[in-house]
Amino acid sequence: MTLIVAMTDEKPRQRRDARRRRPGFQMRISTKYAPRKVADGQSRSCIKDTSLTHEQMLELYRYLKLTRLVEERIVNLYRQTKVVGGVYRSLGQEATAVGSAYALRADDFITPIIRDLGACFVKGIRPREILAQYMAKAWGPSGGKDLNVHFGYMDRGFIGPISHLGDMIPVMTGILLGARMQQKDIVGLAYIGDGGASTGAFYEGMNFAAVQRLPLIVIAEYNYYAYSTPTNLQTAVRNLAEKAAAFGIPGYIVDGNDVIACYEVTKQAVDYARTGRGAVLIEAKTYRRKGHAEHDDQRYVPEGEIEYWEKHNDPIDRFERFLLDQKVAAKEKLNEITADVQREIDEDSEWAESSPMPEPEGAVYGVFDNSIVPPAFRPRVLEK
Ligand SMILES: Cc1ncc(C[n+]2csc(CCOP(=O)(O)OP(=O)(O)O)c2C)c(N)n1
Ligand SMILES: [Mg+2]
């Protein structure tokens, strides 16, 4: 028996409970926004069925360009040895992060992974913060204590990830449980990779969110690799969205390189979650065009694969084509936006470079609550 998960407004909880009691329950995933094949000679664009205004589309375009160009600047700084640690790119995946985060309200929470720089920008993080963070500068959000997206702002609904894959799912679940107890109607958007979706923490967090009907939306990024391991060598499911059946929640597949589709599917999930109907798993089909990090030479990738995605399925090229074809904007307008983004990056880069490195003593602050640090430490490091 299969169940088509439909989003309707009538008594969803009772209806779903009734379905759950049926024997042989199996969930079918919604593929309305899944990637479609294009006819020979045709180029990919984006879905036209959208509620976004022209102004919002141009804002999305700005975020996409900002993401790609900030990452290019970080690579540039890395080659000048100004970056501390690795550089993780989202090249080719920008639409997944930008489109999904754009569906949130300002007070909603997100927890990104390393491929979701675009979601950070949508959430209000500025390029200067990211650039200073990558260079471990004192003015960076973690004051040089950590790198790339590993920082957070509770008051801005931005929960930076820890490195341990999967662990942010139960963290976000806990945040949402806390929010419910405080009678706040926020939703939480958590990102996970195909590799991360094979961890125990992912299953436990998802299960708890599902059974508690917490407003958790998880974007599972199918980007073909976890480090150098192809997805089919680390999970037996063909689609990550099938994992929704394990939790009894709706599963969606979306074309992760179509920024409008990513927005629309997440918007539906947000409305569903915010109205008390529970968690949603969305799988975004995309492709990681760079290695795990900048040092990775991708020798394990079959010949021609990266070039294929670059030529035929680049999310920014697709969106540009869409904007021009639909007459949302002329090429000059898009160039103007790009030039403005570039200006912002130049300015922010200069600011970040001008920051001092942190003072060594700073390492002991902001780690523990200094007011409750054991007295033995106080005279020596904290109250010097
Ligand atoms: C629990 C755990 N196991 C292993 C690692 C090491 N590790 C860091 S990133 C990574 C690959 C992640 O792949 P995926 O989840 O597909 O995300 P992607 O990098 O493709 O975005 C691994 C294995 C880790 N950080 N945490
Ligand atoms: Mg992956």
Side-chain angles (χ1 to χ4, degrees), residues 116-345:
D116 302 310
L117 185 60
C120 304
F121 291 141
V122 174
K123 199 71 186 99
I125 308 298
R126 296 181 64 186
R128 60 179 52 196
E129 296 173 86
I130 298 294
L131 292 162
Q133 173 79 355
Y134 259 103
M135 291 188 278
K137 295 284 188 131
W139 296 347
S142 72
K145 285 198 184 65
D146 212 332
L147 303 165
N148 56 72
V149 287
H150 300 298
F151 64 93
Y153 296 111
M154 274 305 274
D155 54 345
R156 285 156 75 175
F158 181 83
I159 309 296
I162 54 165
S163 294
H164 309 68
L165 301 176
D167 280 14
M168 297 316 287
I169 305 294
V171 169
M172 188 58 98
T173 296
I175 288 172
L176 294 171
L177 187 61
R180 172 184 287 169
M181 291 160 89
Q182 293 165 34
Q183 297 180 343
K184 292 183 181 156
D185 72 339
I186 58 159
V187 308
L189 183 58
Y191 295 86
I192 188 104
D194 41 290
S198 294
T199 59
F202 168 78
Y203 282 90
E204 290 180 32
M206 292 296 293
N207 188 63
F208 190 71
V211 78
Q212 293 289 331
R213 293 186 195 282
L214 291 168
L216 174 71
I217 296 156
V218 173
I219 308 281
E221 298 168 347
Y222 186 114
N223 67 357
Y224 284 68
Y225 296 97
Y227 266 134
S228 54
T229 308
T231 312
N232 66 343
L233 292 186
Q234 62 84 13
T235 179
V237 293
R238 236 178 106 196
N239 303 299
L240 301 173
E242 291 165 30
K243 297 191 181 201
F247 315 114
I249 62 171
Y252 284 85
I253 297 179
V254 64
D255 181 342
N257 287 12
D258 176 341
V259 71
I260 296 185
C262 290
Y263 166 79
E264 291 297 338
V265 75
T266 314
K267 183 80 182 64
Q268 275 193 46
V270 165
D271 294 345
Y272 178 89
R274 207 186 303 283
T275 46
R277 288 176 278 181
V280 181
L281 178 64
I282 299 170
E283 172 184 13
K285 300 280 192 195
T286 182
Y287 184 78
R288 194 193 76 191
R289 291 212 324 249
K290 284 292 191 176
H292 175 68
E294 205 50 27
H295 63 262
D296 174 357
D297 64 12
Q298 297 174 283
R299 72 181 68 170
Y300 48 85
V301 175
E303 212 184 308
E305 191 178 90
I306 300 165
E307 294 73 12
Y308 174 85
W309 282 83
E310 181 178 8
K311 186 154 180 251
H312 300 287
N313 205 342
D314 178 78
I316 301 186
D317 286 353
R318 284 178 60 176
F319 194 42
E320 252 175 28
R321 196 171 293 125
F322 172 88
L323 295 171
L324 297 174
D325 289 351
Q326 298 299 308
K327 308 216 178 332
V328 174
K331 187 77 185 136
E332 297 72 52
K333 176 70 186 166
L334 302 184
N335 291 345
E336 209 178 281
I337 293 172
T338 307
D340 189 54
V341 163
Q342 202 67 69
R343 243 191 323 273
E344 182 180 357
I345 296 172

Side-chain angles (χ1 to χ4, degrees), residues 50-105:
T50 179
S51 54
L52 288 164
T53 63
H54 286 193
E55 203 180 316
Q56 287 175 314
M57 289 184 205
L58 293 181
E59 202 179 7
L60 282 177
Y61 182 73
R62 191 177 197 287
Y63 283 128
L64 289 173
K65 290 298 270 200
L66 185 64
T67 309
R68 185 161 296 180
L69 295 176
V70 166
E71 287 189 2
E72 282 179 12
R73 178 60 55 95
I74 295 168
V75 171
N76 198 299
L77 294 166
Y78 179 76
R79 291 186 182 152
Q80 297 174 54
T81 69
K82 290 177 178 166
V83 163
V84 179
V87 172
Y88 305 90
R89 299 285 310 267
S90 65
L91 181 68
Q93 300 185 213
E94 297 95 337
T96 299
V98 167
S100 54
Y102 200 74
L104 295 179
R105 221 165 60 184

